[in-house]
């Protein structure tokens, strides 16, 4: 093989290696983003169930128009799913839901305040 052909083979090998590294990095970012989206969706489900808890009378194992004694046990989704683990705390008409994803670096916190029948949600993302 000529010297030119050997240089061409080395160049192609380097290009393929760099492309492979970029592809792997892109896939990892995509997986992390998908996990973050899934955790956010689970938190929205928790908020929906928490809203029902808030309006349910205390005699029916609800909050009686308060989040004071709410816990993750009051939510049917439970404290974990395939997407991550969750914690719920509340006070008055404010509810905080924290979700830690299965991928490293995925953590979301939703602070929701019930105004009338609707939540006003503030999202916090930590990396």
């Amino acid at each position: 093989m000529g010297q030119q052909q050997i240089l061409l083979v080395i160049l192609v090998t380097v290009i393929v290696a760099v492309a492979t590294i970029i592809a792997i990095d892109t896939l990892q970012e995509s997986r992390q983003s998908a996990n973050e989206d899934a955790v956010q969706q689970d938190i929205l489900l928790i908020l929906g169930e928490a809203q029902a808890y808030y309006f349910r009378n205390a005699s029916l194992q609800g909050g009686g128009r308060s989040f004071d004694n709410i816990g993750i046990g009051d939510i049917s989704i439970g404290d974990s799913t395939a997407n991550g683990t969750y914690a719920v705390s509340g006070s008055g008409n404010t509810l905080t839901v924290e979700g830690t994803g299965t991928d490293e670096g995925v953590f979301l916190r939703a602070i929701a305040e019930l105004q009338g029948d609707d939540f006003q949600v503030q999202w916090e993302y930590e990396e």
Side-chain angles (χ1 to χ4, degrees), residues 25-53:
D25 188 48
T26 302
L27 287 174
Q28 286 175 337
E29 288 176 12
S30 177
R31 187 185 72 217
Q32 185 174 3
S33 177
N35 185 234
E36 189 174 286
D37 291 345
V39 169
Q40 186 174 26
Q41 191 65 33
D42 285 348
I43 289 175
L44 290 172
L45 289 171
I46 291 170
L47 289 176
E49 289 190 31
Q51 187 175 17
Y53 170 89

Side-chain angles (χ1 to χ4, degrees), residues 3 6 12 15 25 27 32-33 38 49 51 53 65 94 105 107 110 115:
Q3 199 172 12
I6 292 174
V12 168
I15 290 172
D25 188 48
L27 287 174
Q32 185 174 3
S33 177
E49 289 190 31
Q51 187 175 17
Y53 170 89
R65 296 196 174 267
T94 303
F107 179 81
Q115 297 177 350

Side-chain angles (χ1 to χ4, degrees), residues 1-2 22 33 39 41 47 52 56 62 82 97-98 106 113 116 121 125:
M1 235 194 254
I22 290 172
S33 177
V39 169
Q41 191 65 33
L47 289 176
R56 194 176 321 125
V97 182
E98 295 178 344
V106 175
E113 184 177 346
V121 182
Y125 300 87

Side-chain angles (χ1 to χ4, degrees), residues 67-72 87-91 94-98 110 112:
F67 289 121
D68 286 341
N69 296 316
I70 194 168
I72 197 68
V88 174
S89 62
S91 176
T94 303
L95 179 71
T96 301
V97 182
E98 295 178 344

Side-chain angles (χ1 to χ4, degrees), residues 57-112:
N57 288 331
S59 60
L60 298 172
Q61 297 178 337
R65 296 196 174 267
S66 173
F67 289 121
D68 286 341
N69 296 316
I70 194 168
I72 197 68
D74 298 311
I75 307 297
S76 68
I77 195 171
D79 64 348
S80 67
T81 67
N83 303 319
T85 57
Y86 305 93
V88 174
S89 62
S91 176
N93 67 338
T94 303
L95 179 71
T96 301
V97 182
E98 295 178 344
T100 304
T102 53
D103 270 12
E104 187 176 327
V106 175
F107 179 81
L108 280 79
R109 179 181 296 121
I111 302 170

